[in-house]
Structures are given as structure tokens and as C-alpha cells.
Amino acid sequence: MIETTINAQTVNYLTEKELAEMIKKQEFKKEYAVQVYNFFTDVPLQDIVRFIINYNIDESVLLKYYITYVKEYYPNKELEAMLEDVV
């Protein structure tokens, strides 16, 4: 489901596993910018939670990635509210 959503408007295809590795390593690959932005803006919160559980991504790592690469361009207030207690 996540792959369908993040790749809907793109030519380059990004798998969930590749996205998880990018988030864990705090890497932003410009060729996948649309997919990253789609992940943080178009994927429902419950699917994001499932994703971070399935790929063993700590909430603090997800939050750091979001703040570093996404928030300035595509803020997601619902995601921020979900992660507000993360230190």
C-alpha cells in the first residue's frame, strides 16, 4: 500500500525497504524526493506507524528525518502531533 501511494506520480520506483533504509541512515536522495514527500504527506498515520514497526525505525529517527528533510517544504501537523512526545 505504501509503495503504491509514494510512487503514484513518479517515474523512479522506491520500495518500502529502500525508504526505510534512507530514513534509518538519515539520507535524502534527490531522485526520490517526491516519494519521500508523499510518504510524509499522503500516507495515513496508521500506515506510517505500521511501517516504522515493520522496519524497526524508532520514532525519534523518523522525527529527525521529517524535521531535517520534509517539514520546511511539506509540514504535516497530524504527524507532528503524533510525534510531539518523542525526545
Side-chain angles (χ1 to χ4, degrees):
M1 157 104 174
I2 288 176
E3 285 182 21
T4 303
T5 302
I6 67 172
N7 290 297
Q9 20 177 298
T10 64
V11 176
N12 297 336
Y13 193 87
L14 181 66
T15 66
E16 286 184 25
K17 184 176 180 180
E18 291 170 316
L19 176 60
E21 288 303 313
M22 286 173 53
I23 293 171
K24 286 179 182 180
K25 294 177 181 177
Q26 298 292 299
E27 295 176 340
F28 184 83
K29 298 177 181 177
K30 289 184 181 185
E31 66 266 27
Y32 297 121
V34 172
Q35 288 93 331
V36 169
Y37 297 144
N38 285 347
F39 175 77
F40 284 97
T41 58
D42 295 341
V43 173
L45 291 181
Q46 67 269 19
D47 293 334
I48 291 176
V49 170
R50 254 185 251 124
F51 173 83
I52 65 174
I53 291 169
N54 288 343
Y55 290 98
N56 198 29
I57 300 171
D58 190 86
E59 290 178 340
S60 64
V61 172
L62 182 72
L63 180 60
K64 181 179 178 187
Y65 193 91
Y66 167 75
I67 289 170
T68 303
Y69 299 110
V70 179
K71 183 178 179 177
E72 180 180 343
Y73 306 105
Y74 295 100
N76 181 336
K77 298 299 180 189
E78 290 178 347
L79 178 70
E80 291 175 29
M82 181 181 88
L83 298 173
E84 72 183 352
D85 293 333
V86 175
V87 178

